[in-house]
Amino acid sequence: MDSLIIKEGFPLLSFLIFFPLAGAVVLLFFNGEKFARYWTLAITMITAAFSILLITGFDTTTAKFQFAEVHNWIPQLNIHYILGVDGISILMVLLSTLIMPLCILASWRYIKTRVSQFMFSMLIMEVSMVGLFTSLDFVLFWVFWEFMLIPMYLLIAVWGGPRKDYASIKFFIYTLGGSVFLLVAIIALYMKNGTFFIPDMMWHHYSMTFQILVFLAFFLAFAIKVPMFPFHTWLPAAHVEAPTAGSVILASVLLKMGAYGMLRFCLPITPQATFLLAPYILGLSIAGIIYGGFTALAQHDMKKLVAYSSVGHMGFVTLGIFVLNIRSVEGAIIQMLNHGVTTGALFLCVGMIYERTHSRELSVATGIGKYMPWYVTFLAFFALSSFGFPGTNSFIGEFLILAGTFQANKFLALAAIPGAVLAAAYMLRMLQKIIWGGTNNPDQSYLKKHDLGIREIATLAPLLLFVFWIGLDPQPFLDMMHHSVVNLITQLNFIQQQAPHVASAFMR
Amino acid sequence: MAMAILPELSLLTAVLAFFVLSLSKDLNSEQIKNTAVGFGFVTLFCTVISLHQQASMFFGSYQVDLFTQLFKLMIGLGLFFVLIAGQNLKDIELSVRPEYYMFFFLSCFGLMTLVSSVELITLFVSLELSSFALFLLVPMRSDQKGLRIQMEAGIKYILFGVIASGFMLYGMSYIFGLTGTTYLKDILPGLKNVASQPAALFAVVMVLVGFFYKLALFPMHFWVPDIYQGASNETTGFVATVPKLAAVALLIRFILLVPGDAHILITLLIVLALCSMFYGNLIALVQTDVKRMLGFSGIAHAGFIMLGLLTMEASGYATAMYYIAGYVFMNIACFMVLSNVSQQGENLAIEDLNGLHKRQPLLALVLAVSLFALAGIPPFIGFMGEFMLLTGALRHGYLLLVILAAVNAGIAIYYYLSVIKAAYTTDPEGRPDVLIDGLTKAAGVILMLLIALMGILPSRLVALADSAVRAIM
């Protein structure tokens, strides 16, 4: 337990988990539509405001887990209720809590049926997201990991598009099926260590076979969540059918859970297996980057385009993680944030068009630029950010990842470059059609009166702020995670030096 | 003395009361219903206050200790909720309702004496008492379509039941032959003396078969789908839940008797558990009748319970107890929804649940919670039970078993999800609203809370079950 800094007094992390839950319970009893909207907005805003307190109290000079809370839960099996955040998870928690109010705002008019149930699902979603990123006990983690499927399933299945049945069931079964072995791996680790406390499972010299099996169990679960090529097929379906807010949560937070899982579990718990299997995962990452780029280029449905671009972007993230040096991992974490901000924003933009034209077809949205200047301004910045234009957030992330990759293996970095080019191609193609495309076919002049309202600007503006903040001054974000990442990589290299027989050929 | 068998006495009173009621010509459905629920509550109350009784009665053939009383408490709870869930008896004619409840309570009485029996003859009589009363409940369903499926189901139930009893008696005769006694406490050392002979193990396995039948474990599951389908919703709600508690209690008792090297028995249980899970889950995938689906899911869950029993240690048995209790609540919750949604007591196909979220939001929520719990999604009891069973099995090194069991949890989600999908994502399409009374609402909320809280805070319950099991070891 010496890896924890216990928080005395107000249990901030528990508050962030249970406050939305309390808000959701209230919605069970009072379910007027208007009330549900304002209530949920208020709850998520308060949660977001309290999560800011995490930053002020966070000590960036240590890699330990902070704000920790420890309580007994199931003594028979040595299961505890342990929460805590380090430099990696605090960013994920903030991403989740800050994006929630924007999702509520985006659903303000989009969701017309069963509003209070929708808001209930959203709040439950927030509970499980924050819980997942803060839990330091594997059983607690698992509880949130699985529980999250219920609200997400409902968001897609109830408020989704025409193929919602197919998409929601595919999402549920894919994710649940992938994590079946994760549960077995968790129990197996418990047998070795006698505890479910995650930091106590890290940096042990388990036998190589054991490590590989556990790694594969982890990897399958997390790769599906990321999703890595070739486990990505649930993603376009789920994204396309989900309501806007569902897509945003899916892209901004859920996909991060996979990458977070790799950072938190694969690397520290099975380090030698990581070194052994990293080349294959890097290969899959490159395949994902290229594949995501090409498929995005071929899409006519804007939401599908953004969904496939996610596959590419997350390919960069897994590339950064498994190159296993400080620069690339920091880049990967920044890229996780970027993807949350930028792709979330792009989904919001697509949703705003859909609300007006009731179509997501690129051909129906051509030439909107002439009538909706505000809208396309936002869209343009987010699209530029998406392909890593200098000055925007993704540039920092992709640059760090590529720089780290160059350091490790030049061929690998060169192989990833086409992905960045493809990203520019599909984003600029979309921008060109939407902003400067022909305005007469179809006639979009009725949109003149329907440029963004204040609510919509308020939804997009904070995301734009982060696009430039991370893009122009990434240092505060890097400072936050720096010690945790350094600790991770140092320990990893230390373990590898102790076991020279796992020489990794690719790290020349 | 009477204090120790208070729950049994209360059930007997109920049986007599309904016997008297059945003589009356002038039947009032409200009165019958209220009497039944009232007796259910009294019995539950009796099981609670006699929880910590200790006694050995009737020449040592009847044992009252924490183990038996805990099971009686679970039976009492199950009974009470089954009575509320099926209080309307839509498909049972008014003229036979007093008899229905008479046999219902008699069956419960049999189950309660069963968990307390520690002598083979007593045990057999109790088992038959509970079974035969149950056999009679099935054909009491009124004949709606002239197909007489309830008769078919009743006959099948009896025939399969009698065969299972035959196996069991056969095994008991071996036990008596080998040890010369019918008292379990003497059988244990008696069997140890002959542990080297295969007959000893054979005898115990034969007896276990009888309880596998009650629990619906592969290959003694044949009766399940047809009886579930043929019996009325309310009857199925009872058949599918409460008797399984007693079955687990007796399985624990008899597995404790296994002499010497238990290796063969464990292998057998592993095989049966896996067959049960795969068979139940794979066949459930294609069911359209909700009751049949729940029947196959029950077969799969019976396999899961074996995971606890085959560890052959107190914590494993305790987890099995915890799991079966959760299973009973989850299933009663499902059957409560079915009984209430069904208009005239007809069987429901999955699409008959369409739009339930509009027709009756509370029942839709109850259904969703219980099905997610059955599927093993946290934080409900279904998950916690499954997790503990897997942990216990892996502690003994049954890695392959655990992996395959986990795979099964993945398979099962599909059919549970298809029911939830119907209830939550579709429109009613002209299906009528479902009206429920306050008692059902309260019971629904309590069941949901039980399913959630038992899953979130399991440690006390498992500790209690653990000390109960240690009391008989």
Side-chain angles (χ1 to χ4, degrees), chain B residues 337-350:
Chain B
V337 176
L338 296 188
S339 310
N340 282 295
V341 172
S342 167
Q343 291 293 313
Q344 270 102 37
E346 73 280 2
N347 283 0
L348 293 176
I350 291 176

Side-chain angles (χ1 to χ4, degrees), chain B residues 265-282:
Chain B
L265 181 71
I266 292 177
T267 314
L268 178 73
L269 291 180
I270 289 178
V271 171
L272 293 186
L274 285 176
C275 289
S276 221
M277 284 183 230
F278 275 104
Y279 176 89
N281 279 329
L282 289 178

Side-chain angles (χ1 to χ4, degrees), chain A residues 114-379:
Chain A
R114 300 164 77 181
V115 177
S116 72
Q117 293 178 29
F118 179 85
M119 296 300 171
F120 180 82
S121 302
M122 293 291 275
L123 287 174
I124 295 291
M125 199 68 222
E126 181 162 21
V127 172
S128 41
M129 293 187 308
V130 178
L132 186 134
F133 288 127
T134 53
S135 40
L136 289 181
D137 182 283
F138 230 139
V139 177
L140 193 63
F141 172 85
W142 173 264
V143 166
F144 289 118
W145 172 267
E146 291 278 281
F147 180 60
M148 179 213 60
L149 295 177
I150 300 180
M152 197 63 221
Y153 165 78
L154 289 175
L155 285 179
I156 302 174
V158 177
W159 294 275
R163 288 171 75 224
K164 59 187 183 181
D165 288 349
Y166 167 76
S168 57
I169 290 191
K170 188 169 183 180
F171 161 76
F172 203 114
I173 291 183
Y174 231 103
T175 327
L176 188 96
S179 33
V180 157
F181 299 109
L182 178 59
L183 182 62
V184 181
I186 292 175
I187 302 175
L189 281 166
Y190 166 66
M191 294 304 154
K192 294 265 179 196
N193 295 302
T195 175
F196 284 104
F197 182 51
I198 294 168
D200 280 358
M201 294 179 175
M202 298 174 177
W203 316 119
H204 289 289
H205 295 271
Y206 306 115
S207 74
M208 200 60 196
T209 335
F210 182 78
Q211 282 202 28
I212 290 177
L213 288 175
V214 169
F215 181 90
L216 289 177
F218 282 162
F219 178 72
L220 184 65
F222 299 139
I224 286 176
K225 202 74 151 203
V226 166
M228 278 183 83
F229 178 84
F231 304 108
H232 65 279
T233 60
W234 64 270
L235 180 84
H239 264 319
V240 170
E241 301 308 324
T244 303
S247 293
V248 175
I249 294 188
L250 204 55
S252 299
V253 187
L254 257 70
L255 305 194
K256 306 298 143 2
M257 292 176 180
Y260 171 77
M262 289 176 178
L263 278 171
R264 174 69 78 237
F265 304 117
C266 288
L267 267 51
I269 295 180
T270 57
Q272 285 153 317
T274 306
F275 275 111
L276 190 71
L277 296 170
Y280 306 100
I281 296 168
L282 292 173
L284 284 181
S285 305
I286 298 287
I289 294 172
I290 307 287
Y291 171 89
F294 273 116
T295 22
L297 199 54
Q299 298 307 316
H300 296 287
D301 181 318
M302 287 185 280
K303 223 171 174 181
K304 264 195 183 157
L305 191 153
V306 182
Y308 278 110
S309 82
S310 279
V311 176
H313 287 146
M314 292 311 285
F316 270 106
V317 172
T318 46
L319 177 73
I321 293 176
F322 283 96
V323 167
L324 302 173
N325 60 40
I326 294 174
R327 201 168 287 162
S328 70
V329 170
E330 288 191 346
I333 298 170
I334 285 283
Q335 184 68 359
M336 280 157 79
L337 290 181
N338 293 340
H339 180 261
V341 171
T342 306
T343 310
L346 283 172
F347 276 121
L348 287 173
C349 288
V350 176
M352 287 168 187
I353 287 280
Y354 182 77
E355 276 183 72
R356 290 168 171 80
T357 63
H358 301 288
S359 166
R360 294 183 305 254
E361 284 295 311
L362 203 47
S363 56
V364 178
T366 50
I368 282 179
K370 191 169 177 192
Y371 307 111
M372 295 175 68
W374 277 101
Y375 173 78
V376 292
T377 311
F378 278 108
L379 183 67

Side-chain angles (χ1 to χ4, degrees), chain A residues 27-44:
Chain A
L27 278 182
L28 283 179
F29 298 101
F30 304 97
N31 41 22
E33 284 193 11
K34 209 173 167 189
F35 170 78
R37 290 196 178 103
Y38 280 103
W39 174 257
T40 314
L41 184 64
I43 295 280
T44 49

Side-chain angles (χ1 to χ4, degrees), chain A residues 407-420:
Chain A
Q407 207 178 340
N409 186 329
K410 293 193 177 54
F411 293 106
L412 207 58
L414 284 176
I417 297 289

